[in-house]
Amino acid sequence: MRDYAETIGFLGQWGRFQQIVFFSLVATIMPNGFGAFTLVFLTDTPSHHCLVSGINLTEDWRKSVIPIKEVDGKQELSRCSRYRLDVVRNLSAQGYIPGRDVNLTDLEEEGCVDGWSYSKDIYESTIVSEFDLVCTNQWKQPFTSTVFFVGGLLGSFLSGQLSDRYGRKPVLFAALALQTVFTFAQVFSGSWIMFLIILFINGLGQMSNFVAALVLARLMPESPRWLLSRGRVEEAEAIIRTAAKWNKVQAPRIIFEDCGTEKMQTRSKEHYNVFDLLRQSSIRATTLILCFVLSTMIVGYYSLSFNTAQLHENPYISCFISAVVEIPAYISSWMALLYLPRRLSVILTLVFGAVPLYLIQLVPDDLSNLALALEMLGKYSITTGSSLMFAYTAELYPTVLRNTATGISNTVSRIGSCIAPLLLSLGMYYKYLPYIILGSLAVVAAFAALFLPESFKKPLPETIEQMQRRERMKCPCLTRNMTPVPMVPMDSSL
């Protein structure tokens, strides 16, 4: 059988059929952005302090009942403690004035036993204020986002396996249905646990949708490549003929030659799974490196994206700035895919993403706009690289493994998204620690990417054998220059 790309070359590159398929798939994944990044606002923590109500206090004592704490060099009301109300009530009743008659630092403190009062200057409510995810329950706030990404991790794995077995379209539509139902269901969550369960399923549906659409976008519905790999030649030809009709070109009488031969029938009966990505050394090396590089980019992307609420006093402006940065990033990714080698593009985006993240810690506190610009430069580069990686991954693997490989690499990379909220929480101990970790990961990933095979301007591999023939750099530390030892014939007289 001729090369697949050569066989369907008569369709052209960007006809009416490809345009309809492309924009239809774009429409299916547009809601994914809302699903993930509404968490920036849903999980944001409003200003809060202990609730003080239902007691008779003088105005001076009502203003002083919450201790003043220093946070990042600023004075603010304590979020998790108050002065003991029974003591404050007695002092107020006796006419003592705080700060003059009573040294407030000598008073005993207690926790927020009556709950919290949350500021409504920005949000009417968030899940933090709804379910009191503060103080001793503060760990639940980043954990909530992590649960969503764990659902995405499972979705990446399942969608890859199910798509290769049952086809891309059934998985895509099932994921859309799942995503739609459980997005609406979140509104009716009555408890934090209920919200987590619904959020997990929503994340599973969202990532299943994304992975199926990603691979389907590079083929067609239902992928003729996939149908041919399953021996369903007539269905594959029917799709190509439909595409030819929409593109107003003439299809040949026989499109896929030699598809009924014994060799093709045997190949169609072969089943591949995740273990085929690890069995042979060359494929195993590619898989492991891709997983690490993509994980690094994903943890960088989501860490910088979820940190947007802290970039500006108004989180909506912060999110807008962060979103605007992605527009030139995707344009840059598109241009790089057209004109630059894949391996070089990935390395450059990682390096240019790491440098500004290292430099942020050198910026004085009074130059906050410069720090913001550096962080957005880092996000621009990491976003560009992340987009490249999805296309790069699909180009490296043969048809029989493409969806499985895409699903597995996305599954492993979602570990990065799972730890992103937890990584950001390290800023509580040292403000710049998340940036240092992200920059270091990017540098190591750039070095690892050197050993990936190149796919720029090369046809997609149809078989595992074709993938193995791809050229790649070899690690010098693993290559031995063996000097042949001359063989000296033994003296027969000895």
Side-chain angles (χ1 to χ4, degrees):
M1 177 182 170
R2 291 184 300 164
D3 176 77
Y4 178 83
E6 180 185 350
T7 302
I8 66 169
F10 67 90
L11 287 177
Q13 294 295 318
W14 189 240
R16 182 185 176 193
F17 181 79
Q18 289 95 330
Q19 293 169 11
I20 292 175
V21 170
F22 173 78
F23 288 110
S24 297
L25 290 172
V26 167
T28 67
I29 63 174
M30 280 187 65
N32 288 2
F34 295 103
F37 292 106
T38 52
L39 291 175
V40 172
F41 307 107
L42 283 175
T43 63
D44 201 8
T45 304
S47 299
H48 58 278
H49 57 77
C50 292
L51 180 65
V52 180
S53 61
I55 59 172
N56 188 19
L57 296 176
T58 63
E59 187 64 23
D60 287 336
W61 277 108
R62 187 170 292 279
K63 291 179 180 179
S64 303
V65 70
I66 306 297
I68 303 295
K69 305 288 184 180
E70 184 173 322
V71 180
D72 294 331
K74 299 179 181 179
Q75 300 288 324
E76 65 177 39
L77 295 177
S78 174
R79 298 182 175 187
C80 300
S81 64
R82 67 186 184 186
Y83 295 119
R84 283 187 54 179
L85 282 189
D86 55 345
V87 174
V88 170
R89 186 186 298 109
N90 289 336
L91 294 173
S92 176
Q94 295 177 38
Y96 291 105
I97 298 177
R100 190 190 70 178
D101 302 324
V102 178
N103 187 354
L104 294 176
T105 57
D106 294 336
L107 294 181
E108 185 179 353
E109 297 181 14
E110 64 182 0
C112 300
V113 294
D114 297 322
W116 289 263
S117 175
Y118 296 94
S119 170
K120 295 189 177 181
D121 293 341
I122 299 176
Y123 306 106
E124 185 65 27
S125 67
T126 68
I127 64 167
V128 174
S129 60
E130 286 289 320
F131 306 127
D132 289 333
L133 309 185
V134 293
C135 300
T136 57
N137 287 325
Q138 186 176 0
W139 63 272
K140 294 181 179 180
Q141 186 259 358
F143 184 75
T144 300
S145 300
T146 296
V147 166
F148 174 81
F149 291 119
V150 170
L153 186 153
L154 182 61
S156 295
F157 176 77
L158 291 178
S159 63
Q161 299 294 306
L162 295 175
S163 293
D164 279 343
R165 181 174 293 272
Y166 301 109
R168 280 65 161 159
K169 280 178 64 177
V171 172
L172 177 63
F173 286 113
L176 281 171
L178 201 68
Q179 187 179 359
T180 302
V181 171
F182 283 92
T183 296
F184 280 111
Q186 284 180 224
V187 178
F188 305 101
S189 301
S191 66
W192 180 64
I193 296 297
M194 181 180 176
F195 184 84
L196 282 189
I197 294 172
I198 295 174
L199 191 65
F200 174 83
I201 300 174
N202 192 12
L204 187 152
Q206 175 172 309
M207 193 49 57
S208 298
N209 167 7
F210 177 77
V211 173
L214 176 68
V215 179
L216 195 54
R218 298 193 58 84
L219 314 165
M220 300 173 188
E222 177 67 71
S223 168
R225 286 181 186 268
W226 180 82
L227 291 170
L228 288 175
S229 71
R230 289 292 185 266
R232 294 158 64 177
V233 182
E234 292 182 0
E235 295 176 61
E237 284 204 355
I239 291 174
I240 298 300
R241 294 191 187 281
T242 299
K245 183 178 180 180
W246 288 8
N247 288 358
K248 298 180 179 180
V249 296
Q250 183 65 42
R253 187 174 62 86
I254 299 177
I255 299 177
F256 300 111
E257 299 178 358
D258 303 327
C259 288
T261 63
E262 182 179 348
K263 181 179 179 181
M264 287 299 298
Q265 290 174 356
T266 301
R267 182 181 296 176
S268 68
K269 294 179 182 178
E270 294 177 350
H271 295 287
Y272 297 90
N273 54 45
V274 63
F275 298 106
D276 292 291
L277 299 175
L278 302 173
R279 280 198 179 98
Q280 302 179 25
S281 60
S282 60
I283 299 179
R284 179 169 60 248
T286 298
T287 301
L288 294 177
I289 294 173
L290 279 174
C291 287
F292 174 66
V293 173
L294 192 52
S295 294
T296 298
M297 289 189 173
I298 292 298
V299 70
Y301 174 78
Y302 281 105
S303 294
L304 297 176
S305 297
F306 273 72
N307 195 43
T308 55
Q310 313 303 322
L311 299 180
H312 191 276
E313 293 181 356
N314 189 324
Y316 299 107
I317 294 178
S318 297
C319 194
F320 176 77
I321 295 172
S322 181
V324 166
V325 167
E326 295 196 20
I327 297 175
Y330 292 129
I331 294 175
S332 299
S333 173
W334 175 51
M335 298 299 291
L337 286 171
L338 289 177
Y339 302 111
L340 294 179
R342 305 293 187 252
R343 187 167 52 207
L344 175 64
S345 301
V346 170
I347 293 172
L348 289 178
T349 56
L350 285 166
V351 172
F352 286 123
V355 172
L357 296 181
Y358 280 130
L359 294 178
I360 287 177
Q361 58 189 314
L362 304 179
V363 178
D365 292 337
D366 58 339
L367 296 178
S368 58
N369 288 335
L370 177 57
L372 172 61
L374 288 173
E375 183 165 345
M376 290 299 97
L377 181 60
K379 184 183 178 183
Y380 158 80
S381 190
I382 294 296
T383 302
T384 302
S386 300
S387 303
L388 286 169
M389 285 301 297
F390 291 118
Y392 191 15
T393 301
E395 290 176 349
L396 290 179
Y397 290 91
T399 304
V400 292
L401 280 175
R402 187 165 295 124
N403 226 73
T404 297
T406 304
I408 290 299
S409 60
N410 271 280
T411 298
V412 177
S413 71
R414 293 302 141 181
I415 297 175
S417 61
C418 292
I419 67 174
L422 305 177
L423 178 64
L424 289 177
S425 66
L426 295 178
M428 298 171 55
Y429 305 100
Y430 178 55
K431 182 178 180 180
Y432 301 108
L433 184 57
Y435 299 113
I436 295 173
I437 294 174
L438 292 175
S440 301
L441 284 172
V443 170
V444 176
F447 177 76
L450 284 169
F451 306 103
L452 288 172
E454 184 55 68
S455 63
F456 183 55
K457 291 186 176 180
K458 296 182 179 179
L460 294 177
E462 300 291 336
T463 64
I464 291 178
E465 291 75 18
Q466 291 177 359
M467 179 183 178
Q468 289 176 311
R469 289 197 293 266
R470 286 278 173 89
E471 294 182 3
R472 69 177 72 231
M473 290 181 60
K474 294 185 178 180
C475 183
C477 60
L478 298 178
T479 304
R480 294 184 177 180
N481 294 322
M482 301 295 291
T483 303
V485 179
M487 301 295 293
V488 179
M490 296 180 63
D491 191 340
S492 59
S493 63
L494 294 179

